[in-house]
Amino acid sequence: MAADKKPILLCVDDDPQVLNAIDRDLRQEFRKDYRVLRAASGEEALATLHELRAREETLALVLADQRMPGMEGVELLAEARTIFPDAKRVLLTAYADTEAAIRAINNARLDHYLMKPWDPPQQLLYPTLHDLLDAWQRAYRPPYRGVRLLGFQWSPLSHDLKDFLAGYMVAYQWMDFETSPEAQALLAAKSLTAADLPVVVLEDGTALPRPSPTDIAARIGLNVQASQELYDVVVIGAGPSGLAAAVYGASEGLKTLIIERQTPGGQAGTSSRIENYLGFPTGLSGSELAHRAWTQAVRLGAEFLAPQAVTELCVQDGYKVLTLTDGSKVSTRAVVLTTGVSYRTLEVPGIDRLSGAGVYYGAARTEARSCEEQDVYIVGGGNSAGQAAMYLATYARKVFIVIRGASLAASMSAYLIEQIGNTPNIEILPFTEIAEVCGQDHLEKVVLKSHGQLTEQPARALFVFIGAKPSTEWVCDVVLCDGKGFVLTGRDLVTDPRYADSWKHSREPFLLETCVPGVFAAGDSRAGAMARVASAVGEGSMAIKFVHQYLDE
C-alpha cells in the first residue's frame, strides 16, 4: 500500500502533554503500517473525520480522551461510528471515570477503554491496540483505488461508458446506484445527485458527471489532438486492418497517424473468442488481439488519436486534408481508409426505446455478468453471433439463437456449430424472428414469430447480429462507392464499364487504391473484401506497400 494511502490512527486530547505522548507512542509502534493524525479537541477531531470521509481515506482507530471541554470523548466516539462505522473506538480515561467508560462500552458500543497513564506502553497500551487493529485488519477490505463508474443498470449512457472503458482495457469498478449504498454515499460525498449520473470517479478522486468518451480520454492517457501538422500516412479506423497498417507503416519509417472514433478492434474487438486466427491454437479474445496490435504499433512509433472521428476528406495540391469532429485539421501525403462496418439495426416495435437498456448491438461483453441465471436471445446466424452465444452461455441460464433459416450451416463456421451443439444451455430457434421487444425502462420480454404464430417470452437481454453496413457515409462524395456504400478500389475502377470514367490518370490504380490517388481502402469497408480477421490484417499490411509506391512516384 502506498505511504499516503495507509490506514489512519486518530488520537484526540485537549491536554498538549498527553496528546504529544500518545502521538509519540503510536508513531513509534505503528508508523510502518499506519498514519497517525492528532486533534486537540472533539470539534477539531470531528472536522478531521468529515474531511477524511470526503477524501475517501481509511480510518482504522480513534483514541479519544473522555474529559474534554465542549465535546466529551464518548460523544465524539459515537459520532465517529456514524462516519466510519468499521473503525475501532477506544476511550482514554482517568481512574475516576472508569464506571462512565464501562457504561459507554455498553451504551455507545465502544471497543475498549484505557487507563491513564499507560506507562510502560509495551505492557499497558500496545497489546490492547494490536489486538484491536488485528481484528480490524481481518475484516478490512481495502477500497477500490482505480476508476469507478456510478450509474443505473438500465441506462444507455452507462452502457456506452462501460463499453468505452472496457474497449481501452481500463480497469474500472461498476457501481449500480440503485443497489449499492457505497455508490450512494460516494455520490453524496462528491456533492452530486442522481441527476448527474452516470458519474466517472477517477483514481485521483476527480468526479466527472455525465462525461463523454472524449472527456475521459485525456484523463486515461489517450491523445485527442494530433501532435504534428503533416504525416506520411493517416490510417482512419483501428480495426484489424487499420492496426496492421499502423504497425507496418510505423515499422517501415513512415510518419504514421491512426484515428479511431470509438474503441480499437472494430467488430472483431468485441468477439469473445477468435479461434481460427493463425498462430493462436487456443484462440484469443478480440480485445486482446486489438490491444496487442495497438501496443505494437505505439512501440514502433505510430501516433494514435482516440476517440476522434474524421468528418471530411479533401485534396489540396496533392495533399489530403482531414477535418476532425472538433474542427481541427490534419494533413497527410496518403490515407488508408479502414473504417470497417457497423451493425444493422433491428426494425421492430420498441427497439429504439430499449436500445442500450437490454437490447444491444454486438457482443456487449460488459453486460454478460448481469445476465447470470437469466434467459437471453441472440438474433443472427453468423460467426459473431456464435461466438457471443458461447460466451454468454457461461453466465446465462439459457441462450436462444433466433434464425430465419433452417440451420446455422449456411452462415457459421463448422467449429462454432459443433461447439454450440455440445453446449446444453444453447438452443437454436429456426424459422423464427423477433416481432417486438417489450418493457418499461428495460427489456422484459420478446415477442417471437414462428410459422405465423406469435409467442411472448421473458428475456433479460437481446443481442443483435443481423449483418453490417460500411461506415463510409462521410467519404462517399470523395471516393467512389458501390450501391451499398462499399469503397471501390484497384481494377474495379478500370475494368467495370460503370466506373470507367472514375480513374483519370495515366497509370493504373494500385490494387487497394481508390479513385483518388494516394487514398487507399482496406478491410471490411472495401468492396469485395472477405469478412475475416486474417484477410483484414493482410489488406492493411498490403496497403502500406502501395503507400510506399505512391510516395515514391
Side-chain angles (χ1 to χ4, degrees):
M1 183 179 290
D4 64 338
K5 291 301 181 182
K6 292 178 182 177
I8 292 168
L9 309 180
L10 176 63
C11 54
V12 189
D13 201 303
D14 65 312
D15 186 326
Q17 288 185 331
V18 176
L19 186 59
N20 287 337
I22 189 66
D23 180 74
R24 178 200 64 221
D25 289 344
L26 290 178
R27 290 180 188 276
Q28 180 175 317
E29 182 71 7
F30 298 104
R31 62 186 176 187
K32 179 181 177 181
D33 300 312
Y34 299 90
R35 283 178 291 159
V36 179
L37 301 183
R38 55 193 286 173
S41 68
E43 292 81 3
E44 181 184 341
L46 193 60
T48 298
L49 291 173
H50 283 296
E51 182 180 350
L52 293 176
R53 176 80 278 174
R55 285 169 21 200
E56 300 180 62
E57 299 280 5
T58 300
L59 181 71
L61 180 142
V62 184
L63 186 64
D65 182 47
Q66 167 60 7
R67 291 195 176 186
M68 294 186 294
M71 179 181 287
E72 291 188 338
V74 170
E75 183 183 354
L76 169 63
L77 294 175
E79 290 286 342
R81 183 168 179 265
T82 65
I83 303 171
F84 287 95
D86 298 325
K88 298 299 181 181
R89 298 173 304 284
V90 178
L91 190 67
L92 281 175
T93 68
Y95 181 79
D97 296 324
T98 302
E99 290 188 11
I102 294 173
R103 287 197 302 272
I105 290 176
N106 294 329
N107 299 332
R109 299 179 65 180
L110 302 186
D111 294 291
H112 210 279
Y113 74 93
L114 291 171
M115 301 291 293
K116 296 191 295 185
W118 55 84
D119 191 47
Q122 289 80 4
Q123 297 177 16
L124 301 179
L125 179 66
Y126 297 154
T128 297
L129 295 188
H130 273 299
D131 287 345
L132 290 172
L133 290 172
D134 286 347
W136 178 83
Q137 285 282 6
R138 285 193 295 271
Y140 172 59
R141 297 294 180 268
Y144 185 81
R145 296 296 183 186
V147 175
R148 285 165 290 178
L149 173 58
L150 288 64
F152 296 107
Q153 175 62 48
W154 303 112
S155 162
L157 287 176
S158 296
H159 168 69
D160 291 344
L161 292 177
K162 286 182 191 178
D163 273 1
F164 175 76
L165 292 170
Y168 285 98
M169 286 193 168
V170 176
Y172 71 95
Q173 180 185 41
W174 163 246
M175 305 175 73
D176 189 339
F177 180 76
E178 292 182 303
T179 60
S180 170
E182 185 183 356
Q184 296 162 13
L186 179 57
L187 196 68
K190 300 299 181 183
S191 301
L192 299 172
T193 68
D196 297 306
L197 294 174
V199 172
V200 171
V201 180
L202 303 174
E203 190 170 358
D204 63 4
T206 303
L208 305 176
R210 298 179 69 85
S212 68
T214 304
D215 295 331
I216 302 172
R219 305 296 190 106
I220 61 175
L222 299 177
N223 295 323
V224 294
Q225 292 185 331
S227 65
Q228 303 182 48
E229 294 183 357
L230 179 65
Y231 293 87
D232 293 322
V233 60
V234 172
V235 182
I236 304 175
S241 56
L243 290 168
V247 166
Y248 279 89
S251 68
E252 294 175 13
L254 297 178
K255 194 182 297 183
T256 304
L257 174 70
I258 183 167
I259 303 174
E260 171 54 45
R261 62 177 181 173
Q262 294 176 332
T263 55
Q267 284 196 349
T270 66
S271 295
S272 56
R273 181 63 52 181
I274 301 171
E275 298 191 59
N276 58 355
Y277 187 58
L278 184 67
F280 293 88
T282 60
L284 77 168
S285 70
S287 60
E288 183 183 2
L289 175 63
H291 281 270
R292 282 172 180 257
W294 179 285
T295 303
Q296 186 178 17
V298 171
R299 182 180 65 83
L300 292 170
E303 180 183 340
F304 279 82
L305 292 189
Q308 187 65 272
V310 181
T311 59
E312 184 180 0
L313 165 65
C314 63
V315 181
Q316 296 179 0
D317 300 325
Y319 293 97
K320 287 73 182 172
V321 180
L322 306 173
T323 303
L324 309 183
T325 48
D326 61 2
S328 61
K329 295 183 183 296
V330 174
S331 297
T332 178
R333 300 167 66 195
V335 170
V336 180
L337 299 172
T338 57
T339 54
V341 294
S342 56
Y343 288 107
R344 295 189 182 277
T345 56
L346 184 64
E347 303 295 336
V348 299
I351 201 77
D352 291 338
R353 184 171 55 84
L354 298 178
S355 181
V359 176
Y360 308 105
Y361 290 93
R365 297 179 64 197
T366 54
E367 305 298 336
R369 289 191 180 276
S370 66
C371 298
E372 218 159 357
E373 295 304 314
Q374 303 287 326
D375 290 348
V376 302
Y377 286 77
I378 292 175
V379 184
N383 279 0
S384 295
Q387 290 161 355
M390 290 300 301
Y391 180 71
L392 291 166
T394 62
Y395 298 97
R397 186 187 73 86
K398 197 72 177 282
V399 178
F400 297 93
I401 301 178
V402 179
I403 56 174
R404 292 184 176 183
S407 73
L408 299 170
S411 54
M412 189 178 293
S413 295
Y415 79 92
L416 269 176
I417 296 175
E418 182 179 357
Q419 290 179 358
I420 288 170
N422 293 328
T423 306
N425 63 330
I426 298 180
E427 181 178 341
I428 300 170
L429 302 179
F431 304 113
T432 305
E433 56 187 286
I434 301 292
E436 185 178 357
V437 295
C438 308
Q440 291 297 320
D441 60 346
H442 66 276
L443 179 69
E444 297 175 14
K445 60 185 178 181
V446 295
V447 179
L448 302 177
K449 183 178 180 181
S450 180
H451 302 291
Q453 300 295 315
L454 298 178
T455 57
E456 290 185 356
Q457 298 293 339
R460 169 59 180 76
L462 173 68
F463 299 88
V464 182
F465 301 85
I466 55 171
K469 58 181 179 179
S471 302
T472 56
E473 304 89 349
W474 62 276
V475 77
C476 278
D477 60 340
V478 179
V479 300
L480 190 63
C481 300
D482 65 13
K484 295 182 179 180
F486 292 92
V487 180
L488 293 162
T489 58
R491 295 289 295 169
D492 287 343
L493 299 173
V494 293
T495 59
D496 193 321
R498 294 173 298 175
Y499 314 124
D501 295 334
S502 62
W503 183 259
K504 304 181 182 300
H505 307 278
S506 56
R507 66 167 175 84
E508 284 197 354
F510 298 120
L511 182 61
L512 300 179
E513 196 169 22
T514 71
C515 64
V516 179
V519 177
F520 302 85
D524 289 354
S525 62
R526 188 183 68 83
M530 182 184 298
R532 290 290 185 272
V533 174
S535 62
V537 170
E539 288 193 8
S541 308
M542 289 167 54
I544 296 301
K545 173 182 181 295
F546 299 127
V547 167
H548 276 295
Q549 292 180 354
Y550 168 76
L551 295 179
D552 290 341
E553 288 182 342

